[in-house]
Amino acid sequence: MSVPHMREASSSSSLQLCRVMRPDDANIMGNVHGGIILKMIEEAGGIVGTRHCNTLNGDRCWVALVRVEKTEFLFPVFIGEVVHVSAEISYTSKHSLEVQVKVVAENILTGMKKLANKAALWYVPCSLQNADKILEVPPIKYADAEQEEEGRKRYEAQKIERQGTKARLEEAIPPPPNPEEAPKERHTVGFSQSSLIHLVGPSDCTIDDYVYGGVTMKLMDEVAGIVAARHCNTNIVTASVDAINFHRKIKKGCVVTVTGRLTFVSNKSMEIEVLVDAASLVDKEKGRYRAVSAFFTFISLDKDNKPLTVPPLKIEGEDEQRRSDEGKARYVQNKAKRLADKERRQ
Amino acid sequence: MSVPHMREASSSSSLQLCRVMRPDDANIMGNVHGGIILKMIEEAGGIVGTRHCNTLNGDRCWVALVRVEKTEFLFPVFIGEVVHVSAEISYTSKHSLEVQVKVVAENILTGMKKLANKAALWYVPCSLQNADKILEVPPIKYADAEQEEEGRKRYEAQKIERQGTKARLEEAIPPPPNPEEAPKERHTVGFSQSSLIHLVGPSDCTIDDYVYGGVTMKLMDEVAGIVAARHCNTNIVTASVDAINFHRKIKKGCVVTVTGRLTFVSNKSMEIEVLVDAASLVDKEKGRYRAVSAFFTFISLDKDNKPLTVPPLKIEGEDEQRRSDEGKARYVQNKAKRLADKERRQ
Amino acid sequence: MSVPHMREASSSSSLQLCRVMRPDDANIMGNVHGGIILKMIEEAGGIVGTRHCNTLNGDRCWVALVRVEKTEFLFPVFIGEVVHVSAEISYTSKHSLEVQVKVVAENILTGMKKLANKAALWYVPCSLQNADKILEVPPIKYADAEQEEEGRKRYEAQKIERQGTKARLEEAIPPPPNPEEAPKERHTVGFSQSSLIHLVGPSDCTIDDYVYGGVTMKLMDEVAGIVAARHCNTNIVTASVDAINFHRKIKKGCVVTVTGRLTFVSNKSMEIEVLVDAASLVDKEKGRYRAVSAFFTFISLDKDNKPLTVPPLKIEGEDEQRRSDEGKARYVQNKAKRLADKERRQ
């Protein structure tokens, strides 16, 4: 299949990362979890960003993920395939940088390659001496003025969106479902709602002891997958992830609670809201705080990887209705956008 | 299936943890290793205990596992199932706390849930400034005086048992079997005796650089599984684990030697004694010491997960006979206890 | 099968390590990766060496791997088998030590054992206070003067070889292949050339924060396996690894680029050169440097694990021709050596 061309870049601002997919990376049908791909994307972005921000003299730093733009999973990836992740810095503002990432999955036995994913991530450089100090980003060179102007537009657009989501973050988290309670009615929101709890260990963290954004996204995808499987009892895969904003960092030794609940179900897709709360186990004063939230869209597949119809969601109460209406609005908007993109390309 | 009700608890003294079981968590028949379940149980206990012990001002701390009560594996767990671990603090003494844990395995495709395991763990809070300093445990509130009194009885009983096992710990460890020697006669103790060696890395440790009790139990279950498979050459699973006392902590950078040997074989079960010795690689003065020992009981299953008859154990020498007699006594006692519990419930 | 006898050794200078092989340790055909075996070999060598070098008073230390002699994979290992690694110190010079390692794979269901691998590794002890300070190695006792003399000869031989490879290390690394470019012609060097990039995390490192040699070898085997699979599109396994010299250590937080390219293809084998470059993400002054390079030989297997014919390599340009000629010389030399060894044993 044909893969769009990526523009040339200097070696210090681009990077390619690859790994063979293993059984633990996939579900029992052999489909690699979207979260594994998201984690690799973020690792590539973190490396290229950190390398770039340390080219100047001055404080050494590590880049922290602050935002991932909406990303779609174009093709499923399977165990045994080699996944190539290419990352390239595409815009720099004074204190942040954008990395564009492409994921190509290669069957090394047949030689077939497919573009599995494209993503754009925003990072800020944090000083290794003081993680709260944001350093300046060395500017990159653009091919032409138009390229720079497009980047500036993306920068302004995400800045506005990031501020908009802060309010939603404060919403109270639903209590974790108790597996021992009498089961709720099938196909309700409560029936499939799920939580994971993870104690942050050293392998989850950068060298300044903050959790990699990719580790958090992998947990989010895992809980969303459990919600989706509970709702439709079939082989499910991640179809897309709406823009994710990382408002607050998570430190080593924290306990992370990741909760997923269905918000909206269309004929062939499920939208799942995922909320990530963190709390230090030892520092009592900090308390529990919302670190991230995002919407994941899953689809249900039959044995030949063809989409199946999803059972409708039984809505209970005003809050669920409001969230479902909002989800439907996002669904309609995304569908319109996809059509527009398709027409523009023709 | 019905699952007994767990009493309500305040959010800071209870916790729920869950994770999808992956191929690496299971043997080649798809049965999840008992050690994976034990590790999750201990992780949940450690989180809820550490969180509780840091609710007061004063030194920050991490809880160290000192004892796990006898635990039974009620149902096998399989790859792809979601395992839910609920932990709750059920008793606090001045310097220790008891956590009760339940493990529910859920098939998220069929919605079937089964109670896979119940366990009770004892922890003590160790200061992060000085790991040898045991801090005070904030008291919990009990539903009534009877509940507190029952807890106090459990506390006194385990205290006596813990002191009793200290003597046994000093016994010399048998030499590791050499795979290159002429093989011993089948079905003897020597034939199936096995050792694992593990170099403690950062992922095995809490933030104060001591090994998680759950990591040790996972290694113990792994070696016991090798012993059982060598003895009966079939699909084997963990049936139960006798009370385990953790007398001495193990620090990062140590080498851990875990040895398992058959002590007693009944018609349908094998009792395996597991001994854990630790030695620092760099601090010579400390020498090698026994950190833990415990008895694991395994059963052998056919393709439909029905128990198979186990080949009898060929006893050689007085020591093996004594250990087998002691094992038989434990077997008879456990059987009587199970019957009594069953009658009391009816 | 018969396994050659290993000489007796005091407990502080020998060690046995074992582990069950899991799905993630193997390729999709169930063959355990050679890199997993190499990593276990090096872990055993590192433990026995570090333990030995800390028996004296004075600075505490960790041993760093400096060289692995040529090693052959005699039998494939499969998921579910127990791998036993026995390591023993066989020679000590003033500042280095040789560890001989044997790998036995056991099918614990049938009881069958096979000698999977033999290797010899050289280590130097680095002070934990100052990693650039090489300490003295306590001498071991030899069974007789002849044994010591043979060790001295091996020591002198590897010293000469290590100096010879330094020059080759400086060669420029080829650019990483871009998966999005128009595919090159099949069976050329460029078609199968591959790169992996790995960000060094805490689990990859010893307690003094340098990468384990075994972690590096595992990555090298992984990239060589991708190159081999791309060339012949079949189930491939590691047949042997030429001597590897570790000239420079790699520190935590570095990015490691591992590149593999075919150098020579015989009727039934592929020789792949693997180059490892490291660069610190945060320390700019250090720059990128060649840490290791080595030649891996892979073979292609059919469903019954019988060797298949390998497609010939299409050579392009003088450099590829020169590398192929050098590879052919190594191939002829190794074949002659194997024949001579065989005759000597008869």
Side-chain angles (χ1 to χ4, degrees):
Chain A
M1 59 168 290
S2 90
V3 169
H5 184 70
M6 198 180 217
R7 69 182 159 284
E8 282 302 305
S10 72
S11 69
S12 84
S13 68
S14 74
L15 179 109
Q16 222 177 276
L17 199 144
C18 80
R19 188 162 77 70
V20 181
M21 294 295 105
R22 295 188 273 251
D24 268 22
D25 297 324
N27 66 18
I28 44 177
M29 306 298 287
N31 285 105
V32 170
H33 298 295
I36 297 290
I37 306 292
L38 292 171
K39 187 163 176 272
M40 287 184 74
I41 286 174
E42 201 275 320
E43 191 178 345
I47 293 175
V48 81
T50 300
R51 182 194 279 165
H52 178 75
C53 292
N54 283 288
T55 47
L56 295 184
N57 293 326
D59 270 19
R60 302 296 88 195
C61 64
W62 199 270
V63 295
L65 180 70
V66 292
R67 178 176 167 92
V68 181
E69 300 293 347
K70 177 178 172 61
T71 176
E72 290 185 36
F73 291 84
L74 308 171
F75 275 96
V77 179
F78 296 96
I79 295 172
E81 291 185 344
V82 174
V83 166
H84 302 267
V85 181
S86 332
E88 185 192 346
I89 301 178
S90 43
Y91 184 76
T92 50
S93 75
K94 193 174 177 192
H95 290 293
S96 71
L97 57 89
E98 184 198 50
V99 181
Q100 291 194 6
V101 184
K102 274 203 282 200
V103 180
V104 172
E106 177 191 6
N107 181 325
I108 51 174
L109 298 187
T110 65
M112 272 281 290
K113 286 174 191 170
K114 56 201 176 195
L115 180 68
N117 198 298
K118 282 203 288 185
L121 300 88
W122 292 89
Y123 289 91
V124 297
C126 302
S127 164
L128 288 182
Q129 268 76 51
N130 170 8
D132 292 330
K133 188 180 160 195
I134 309 292
L135 301 183
E136 291 199 12
V137 176
I140 58 163
K141 282 185 188 139
Y142 300 93
D144 50 42
E146 193 197 354
Q147 201 183 71
E148 181 169 7
E149 180 56 22
E150 278 174 18
R152 209 190 49 74
K153 278 184 195 158
R154 293 193 302 272
Y155 169 72
E156 297 296 343
Q158 61 88 27
K159 212 168 157 182
I160 292 163
E161 276 204 41
R162 279 173 60 194
Q163 277 151 1
T165 56
K166 273 201 176 166
R168 193 162 60 83
L169 273 187
E170 306 310 321
E171 197 192 329
I173 194 163
N178 191 337
E180 305 182 348
E181 278 177 16
K184 296 211 171 56
E185 193 193 346
R186 279 183 72 91
H187 302 137
T188 59
V189 174
F191 181 83
S192 57
Q193 185 180 310
S194 306
S195 289
L196 291 174
I197 289 197
H198 179 71
L199 178 56
V200 173
S203 310
D204 304 323
C205 294
T206 62
I207 51 170
D208 60 351
D209 285 345
Y210 285 97
V211 175
Y212 285 109
V215 167
T216 308
M217 289 195 284
K218 180 170 173 285
L219 287 168
M220 295 170 85
D221 179 75
E222 191 172 341
V223 86
I226 294 173
V227 171
R230 275 184 169 148
H231 183 72
C232 56
N233 305 131
T234 54
N235 178 29
I236 49 83
V237 295
T238 318
S240 67
V241 185
D242 262 29
I244 311 180
N245 294 302
F246 293 79
H247 289 283
R248 296 179 63 175
K249 288 185 284 192
I250 304 171
K251 211 175 161 65
K252 192 169 93 177
C254 279
V255 172
V256 170
T257 306
V258 188
T259 302
R261 60 179 172 200
L262 275 168
T263 44
F264 170 73
V265 165
S266 76
N267 189 31
K268 300 242 162 135
S269 73
M270 292 161 273
E271 188 197 62
I272 295 139
E273 183 175 25
V274 181
L275 308 161
V276 179
D277 284 15
S280 168
L281 270 187
V282 291
D283 296 336
K284 203 59 210 170
E285 54 269 40
K286 279 194 185 163
R288 181 167 170 156
Y289 59 92
R290 178 72 39 88
V292 201
S293 76
F295 294 101
F296 282 68
T297 300
F298 274 70
I299 54 173
S300 163
L301 297 180
D302 68 12
K303 280 173 192 172
D304 307 315
N305 284 312
K306 296 266 172 287
L308 287 168
T309 302
V310 173
L313 183 63
K314 288 180 188 152
I315 302 284
E316 296 171 324
E318 278 179 36
D319 279 354
E320 291 187 8
Q321 188 60 55
R322 177 181 51 78
R323 285 199 293 265
S324 176
D325 292 345
E326 290 167 2
K328 189 171 187 175
R330 279 184 295 269
Y331 170 77
V332 169
Q333 199 181 352
N334 282 329
K335 207 168 176 176
K337 197 170 170 298
R338 267 204 307 277
L339 275 173
D341 287 352
K342 205 174 172 181
E343 275 172 25
R344 206 173 44 194
R345 274 200 302 269
Q346 282 169 351
Chain B
M1 58 168 289
S2 91
V3 170
H5 184 68
M6 197 181 218
R7 67 182 163 285
E8 282 301 304
S10 74
S11 68
S12 84
S13 69
S14 74
L15 178 109
Q16 223 177 274
L17 199 143
C18 80
R19 187 163 78 70
V20 182
M21 293 296 104
R22 295 188 274 251
D24 268 22
D25 297 325
N27 66 18
I28 44 178
M29 306 298 287
N31 284 106
V32 170
H33 298 294
I36 296 290
I37 306 293
L38 292 171
K39 187 163 178 271
M40 288 185 73
I41 286 174
E42 201 274 321
E43 190 177 346
I47 294 175
V48 80
T50 299
R51 183 194 277 164
H52 178 75
C53 292
N54 283 288
T55 47
L56 295 183
N57 293 327
D59 269 17
R60 302 296 86 197
C61 64
W62 199 269
V63 296
L65 180 69
V66 291
R67 180 177 164 90
V68 181
E69 301 293 347
K70 179 178 169 61
T71 175
E72 291 185 35
F73 291 84
L74 308 170
F75 275 97
V77 179
F78 296 96
I79 296 172
E81 290 185 345
V82 174
V83 165
H84 301 268
V85 180
S86 331
E88 187 192 347
I89 299 178
S90 43
Y91 184 75
T92 50
S93 74
K94 194 175 177 193
H95 290 293
S96 71
L97 57 89
E98 184 198 49
V99 181
Q100 292 194 7
V101 183
K102 273 203 282 201
V103 180
V104 172
E106 177 190 7
N107 182 325
I108 52 175
L109 298 187
T110 65
M112 273 282 288
K113 285 174 193 171
K114 56 202 177 194
L115 180 67
N117 198 299
K118 281 203 289 186
L121 300 88
W122 293 89
Y123 289 90
V124 297
C126 303
S127 164
L128 287 182
Q129 268 75 51
N130 169 8
D132 293 329
K133 188 180 161 196
I134 309 293
L135 301 182
E136 291 200 10
V137 175
I140 58 163
K141 282 183 188 140
Y142 301 93
D144 49 43
E146 192 196 354
Q147 199 182 72
E148 180 168 7
E149 179 55 21
E150 278 175 16
R152 209 191 48 75
K153 278 184 195 158
R154 292 192 303 271
Y155 169 72
E156 297 295 344
Q158 60 89 27
K159 212 169 157 181
I160 292 162
E161 276 204 40
R162 276 173 61 195
Q163 277 150 1
T165 56
K166 273 203 177 165
R168 192 162 61 82
L169 272 188
E170 306 310 322
E171 197 194 329
I173 193 163
N178 190 338
E180 304 183 349
E181 279 176 17
K184 295 212 171 55
E185 194 191 347
R186 279 184 73 93
H187 303 139
T188 58
V189 174
F191 181 83
S192 58
Q193 184 181 309
S194 306
S195 289
L196 292 174
I197 290 199
H198 178 70
L199 178 56
V200 173
S203 310
D204 304 322
C205 294
T206 61
I207 51 171
D208 59 353
D209 285 344
Y210 285 97
V211 175
Y212 284 110
V215 167
T216 307
M217 290 194 284
K218 180 169 171 285
L219 287 169
M220 295 171 86
D221 179 76
E222 191 173 339
V223 87
I226 293 173
V227 170
R230 275 185 169 149
H231 183 73
C232 57
N233 304 130
T234 54
N235 178 31
I236 50 82
V237 296
T238 318
S240 68
V241 185
D242 261 29
I244 310 180
N245 294 302
F246 293 79
H247 289 283
R248 297 179 62 176
K249 288 185 286 192
I250 303 171
K251 210 174 161 66
K252 192 169 93 177
C254 278
V255 171
V256 171
T257 306
V258 188
T259 302
R261 59 178 173 202
L262 275 168
T263 43
F264 170 73
V265 164
S266 77
N267 190 30
K268 300 243 163 137
S269 73
M270 294 160 271
E271 188 195 62
I272 295 139
E273 184 175 23
V274 181
L275 310 161
V276 180
D277 285 15
S280 169
L281 269 189
V282 292
D283 297 337
K284 202 58 209 171
E285 54 269 39
K286 278 192 185 165
R288 184 166 168 155
Y289 59 92
R290 178 73 38 88
V292 201
S293 75
F295 294 101
F296 282 69
T297 300
F298 274 70
I299 54 173
S300 164
L301 297 180
D302 68 10
K303 281 173 190 172
D304 307 316
N305 285 312
K306 296 266 173 286
L308 286 168
T309 301
V310 173
L313 183 62
K314 287 182 188 150
I315 302 284
E316 296 171 323
E318 277 178 37
D319 280 355
E320 289 186 12
Q321 188 61 55
R322 177 181 51 76
R323 285 199 294 265
S324 176
D325 292 345
E326 289 167 3
K328 189 171 188 175
R330 280 184 295 269
Y331 171 77
V332 170
Q333 199 182 351
N334 282 330
K335 207 169 176 176
K337 196 169 169 300
R338 268 205 306 276
L339 275 173
D341 286 354
K342 205 174 173 182
E343 274 172 25
R344 205 173 47 195
R345 276 200 303 267
Q346 282 169 350
Chain C
M1 58 167 291
S2 89
V3 170
H5 184 68
M6 198 180 219
R7 67 182 162 284
E8 283 301 304
S10 73
S11 69
S12 85
S13 68
S14 73
L15 179 109
Q16 223 178 274
L17 199 143
C18 80
R19 188 162 78 70
V20 181
M21 294 295 104
R22 295 188 274 251
D24 268 22
D25 297 324
N27 65 19
I28 44 177
M29 306 297 288
N31 284 105
V32 170
H33 299 294
I36 296 290
I37 306 294
L38 291 172
K39 187 163 178 272
M40 288 184 74
I41 286 174
E42 200 275 321
E43 191 177 344
I47 293 175
V48 81
T50 300
R51 183 195 278 163
H52 178 75
C53 292
N54 283 287
T55 48
L56 295 183
N57 293 327
D59 268 21
R60 302 295 88 197
C61 64
W62 199 271
V63 296
L65 180 69
V66 291
R67 178 176 167 92
V68 181
E69 300 293 347
K70 178 177 170 61
T71 176
E72 290 184 33
F73 292 83
L74 309 170
F75 275 97
V77 179
F78 296 96
I79 296 172
E81 291 185 344
V82 174
V83 166
H84 301 267
V85 180
S86 331
E88 185 192 347
I89 300 178
S90 43
Y91 184 76
T92 50
S93 74
K94 193 174 177 191
H95 290 294
S96 72
L97 56 89
E98 184 199 48
V99 181
Q100 292 195 5
V101 184
K102 273 203 281 198
V103 180
V104 172
E106 178 190 6
N107 181 324
I108 52 175
L109 297 187
T110 65
M112 272 281 289
K113 285 173 192 172
K114 58 199 176 198
L115 180 67
N117 198 299
K118 282 203 289 186
L121 300 88
W122 292 88
Y123 288 91
V124 297
C126 303
S127 163
L128 287 181
Q129 269 75 50
N130 170 8
D132 292 329
K133 188 179 160 197
I134 310 292
L135 301 183
E136 290 198 11
V137 175
I140 59 163
K141 282 184 189 140
Y142 300 93
D144 49 43
E146 193 196 353
Q147 200 182 71
E148 181 168 6
E149 180 56 21
E150 277 175 17
R152 210 192 47 76
K153 277 184 197 159
R154 293 192 303 271
Y155 169 71
E156 297 296 344
Q158 61 89 27
K159 213 170 155 182
I160 293 164
E161 277 204 39
R162 277 172 62 196
Q163 277 151 0
T165 56
K166 273 201 177 166
R168 193 161 61 84
L169 273 187
E170 306 310 320
E171 197 192 331
I173 194 162
N178 191 338
E180 305 182 348
E181 278 175 16
K184 295 212 170 55
E185 194 192 346
R186 278 184 75 92
H187 303 137
T188 58
V189 174
F191 182 84
S192 57
Q193 184 181 309
S194 306
S195 289
L196 293 174
I197 289 198
H198 178 70
L199 178 56
V200 173
S203 310
D204 304 322
C205 294
T206 62
I207 51 171
D208 60 352
D209 285 345
Y210 285 97
V211 175
Y212 285 110
V215 167
T216 308
M217 290 195 285
K218 181 170 172 286
L219 286 168
M220 295 170 86
D221 179 75
E222 191 173 340
V223 87
I226 294 173
V227 171
R230 274 184 170 148
H231 183 73
C232 56
N233 304 132
T234 54
N235 178 30
I236 49 81
V237 295
T238 318
S240 68
V241 185
D242 261 29
I244 310 180
N245 294 303
F246 293 79
H247 289 283
R248 297 179 62 175
K249 288 185 285 191
I250 303 171
K251 211 175 160 65
K252 192 168 93 177
C254 279
V255 172
V256 171
T257 307
V258 189
T259 302
R261 60 177 172 202
L262 276 169
T263 43
F264 171 72
V265 164
S266 77
N267 190 30
K268 299 242 163 134
S269 73
M270 292 161 273
E271 188 196 62
I272 295 139
E273 183 174 24
V274 182
L275 309 161
V276 180
D277 284 15
S280 168
L281 269 188
V282 292
D283 296 337
K284 202 58 209 170
E285 54 269 40
K286 279 193 187 164
R288 183 167 170 157
Y289 60 92
R290 178 73 38 86
V292 201
S293 75
F295 293 100
F296 282 67
T297 299
F298 274 69
I299 53 173
S300 164
L301 298 180
D302 68 10
K303 280 172 191 171
D304 307 315
N305 285 312
K306 296 266 173 284
L308 286 168
T309 302
V310 173
L313 183 62
K314 288 182 189 150
I315 303 283
E316 295 172 323
E318 277 177 37
D319 280 354
E320 290 187 10
Q321 188 61 55
R322 177 181 50 77
R323 285 198 294 265
S324 177
D325 293 343
E326 289 167 3
K328 189 170 187 176
R330 280 184 294 269
Y331 171 76
V332 170
Q333 199 182 352
N334 282 330
K335 209 169 175 177
K337 197 171 170 298
R338 268 204 307 276
L339 276 173
D341 286 354
K342 208 176 172 181
E343 274 172 27
R344 206 173 46 197
R345 275 199 303 268
Q346 281 169 351

